[in-house]
């Protein structure tokens, strides 16, 4: 995670209206960058990647937060108001063009798939409902987001 991406994630968080919204926007922005970085053909050294993200997260929002907690946040119901917010989507698109907003559903689906594989729990709920809604809203003729689940 380079310093340019770190600054863009912080810009997203600073555009929020209050502390709670800022923390949620930060978690989603950093989590989306992390997930997007996983979608690549070459092998990933997760220890190195996670260490870099965890260091940035610790420096930005403090003790008790990690990439794991950001991804956990993104698999729960609290992520839906963030990704459903036109303000967040506009700010994220402006500051983080390297993660296109039309891939957010896919990235959330990827995150849910990993959560399902690890926990073996049912992943049905608000996040999956939001992903399915996005798939249905896709333009006619455009391919739906690939299903990971």
């Amino acid at each position: 995670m380079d310093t340019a991406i770190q600054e863009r994630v912080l810009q997203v968080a600073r555009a929020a209206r209050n502390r709670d919204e800022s923390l949620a926007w930060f978690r989603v922005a950093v989590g989306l960058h992390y997930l997007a970085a996983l979608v690549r053909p070459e092998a990933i050294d997760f220890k190195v990647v996670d260490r870099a993200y965890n260091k940035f997260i610790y420096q930005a929002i403090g003790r008790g937060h990690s990439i794991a907690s950001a991804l956990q946040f993104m698999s729960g119901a609290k992520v839906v108001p963030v990704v459903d917010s036109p303000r967040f989507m506009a700010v994220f698109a402006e500051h983080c063009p390297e993660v296109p907003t039309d891939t957010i559903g896919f990235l959330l689906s990827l995150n849910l798939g990993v959560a399902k594989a690890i926990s073996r729990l049912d992943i049905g709920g608000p996040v999956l409902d939001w992903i399915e809604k996005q798939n249905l809203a896709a333009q006619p003729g455009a391919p739906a987001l690939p299903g990971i689940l």
Side-chain angles (χ1 to χ4, degrees):
M1 167 171 241
D2 65 30
T3 57
I5 291 175
Q6 292 175 2
E7 185 54 38
R8 289 193 288 272
V9 167
L10 292 173
Q11 288 172 335
V12 170
R14 289 180 193 122
R17 290 185 178 150
N18 59 47
R19 187 179 191 282
D20 289 340
E21 187 177 75
S22 179
L23 182 58
W25 285 22
F26 176 87
R27 286 176 170 160
V28 174
V30 78
L32 290 172
H33 275 89
Y34 179 87
L35 292 166
L38 299 182
V39 184
R40 61 174 68 197
E42 62 270 5
I44 299 169
D45 184 343
F46 283 98
K47 284 186 179 183
V48 171
V49 173
D50 288 359
R51 187 178 314 120
Y53 274 85
N54 287 334
K55 181 179 178 183
F56 168 62
I57 291 167
Y58 177 80
Q59 290 171 341
I61 59 176
R63 168 177 268 158
H65 300 280
S66 65
I67 191 59
S69 66
L71 296 175
Q72 184 177 14
F73 176 85
M74 291 178 58
S75 65
K78 292 180 180 181
V79 74
V80 175
V82 176
V83 295
D84 220 22
S85 164
R87 281 187 327 99
F88 171 81
M89 294 300 268
V91 168
F92 188 78
E94 177 186 348
H95 294 292
C96 302
E98 63 280 354
V99 182
T101 57
D102 64 350
T103 65
I104 290 175
F106 168 75
L107 295 172
L108 289 175
S109 177
L110 175 65
N111 190 45
L112 283 180
V114 171
K116 178 181 180 181
I118 292 171
S119 69
R120 304 210 190 317
L121 296 175
D122 178 27
I123 54 163
V127 180
L128 186 58
D129 293 345
W130 184 87
I131 293 167
E132 290 172 352
K133 185 176 91 174
Q134 299 311 302
N135 285 339
L136 290 175
Q139 295 288 337
L145 295 172
I148 300 293
L149 313 173

